[in-house]
Amino acid sequence: MSEAELQRQINVLRRKFDTAETREQSQLYINVKNYGAVGDGVTDDTAAIQAAIDALVAVGGVVFLASGVYIINEPIELTTDVFLQGAGNQIDNASVFGTEIKAGTSFTGDVMITTPTAAQYNFGLRDLRLRGTSDVLNGILFRNDKFAYLTNITVDTCQEAGVWLDLTSGAANSAYMYNVWVQKYRDWE
């Protein structure tokens, strides 16, 4: 496939997923931009992302984050049957070809993506990158959960655990990970 054809297909997908039309086709698949997220790498998108997740608490579904850099300044909390779906995790310093959730300069908390303390079921992250800062301890923390999924995820620049699975309850907890990369974390001393 030529580079021009690949770019054409990417543009078609971006138009499809960046419109409100997608949400109208299925209430179980919503675009975070319909909740006010910007994804410009400057605006704080924390409240918009959490509002989109919260809108699916009763029914479950997918929260789609189109290509861009989404700044968060507080931890995002996933719940049962809700997935965060990005547009890929290929992001470098020169261009954005994918989705990045980035800790802002005002980030408070010790983890970027987490779950409530009560066990959650069937949830996860797909096709995105998390980028912390020198103050963010952990990228992802799942607590006593069942059927947590991480697919095509990169966790970058966290001080301790990029992915922390706290599966200590003794129940049949499980996490499924495919193509998960953790990089630029502090070495254990």
Side-chain angles (χ1 to χ4, degrees):
M1 178 181 307
S2 73
E3 188 173 326
E5 177 61 19
L6 177 62
Q7 188 60 49
R8 187 191 70 74
Q9 289 182 5
I10 290 167
N11 290 337
V12 167
L13 287 172
R14 283 183 179 157
R15 282 192 302 274
K16 176 181 177 184
F17 291 122
D18 285 344
T19 64
E21 174 183 307
T22 304
R23 182 169 185 237
E24 293 169 6
Q25 292 172 1
S26 170
Q27 291 298 310
L28 301 178
Y29 190 96
I30 60 177
N31 188 324
V32 74
K33 290 189 175 186
N34 292 335
Y35 287 80
V38 180
D40 63 359
V42 177
T43 305
D44 182 356
D45 292 314
T46 310
I49 295 169
Q50 192 63 59
I53 292 168
D54 293 347
L56 292 173
V57 166
V59 294
V62 176
V63 174
F64 179 70
L65 292 91
S67 289
V69 178
Y70 296 83
I71 300 295
I72 62 171
N73 284 310
E74 295 176 22
I76 298 295
E77 194 170 87
L78 281 178
T79 59
T80 293
D81 292 329
V82 176
F83 289 82
L84 285 183
Q85 169 76 52
N89 65 4
Q90 279 67 44
I91 296 177
D92 59 35
N93 293 329
S95 64
V96 176
F97 176 68
T99 302
E100 178 174 281
I101 298 176
K102 183 177 181 180
T105 56
S106 300
F107 188 85
T108 58
D110 61 359
V111 63
M112 293 177 66
I113 306 288
T114 190
T115 55
T117 53
Q120 302 299 303
Y121 304 89
N122 191 41
F123 64 93
L125 307 170
R126 296 187 282 236
D127 301 323
L128 56 86
R129 173 185 297 262
L130 300 178
R131 186 180 306 268
T133 67
S134 60
D135 297 323
V136 175
L137 294 180
N138 306 293
I140 299 169
L141 168 59
F142 293 157
R143 300 178 179 102
N144 298 316
D145 302 311
K146 296 179 177 145
F147 308 113
Y149 296 89
L150 297 173
T151 306
N152 299 325
I153 301 297
T154 300
V155 181
D156 194 349
T157 316
C158 291
Q159 294 307 302
E160 291 184 7
V163 178
W164 179 6
L165 304 174
D166 183 7
L167 306 176
T168 58
S169 73
N173 301 324
S174 58
Y176 300 93
M177 296 187 283
Y178 175 76
N179 195 27
V180 176
W181 291 85
V182 176
Q183 58 192 20
K184 295 183 186 172
Y185 63 94
R186 185 187 74 189
D187 291 330
W188 292 100
E189 298 174 13

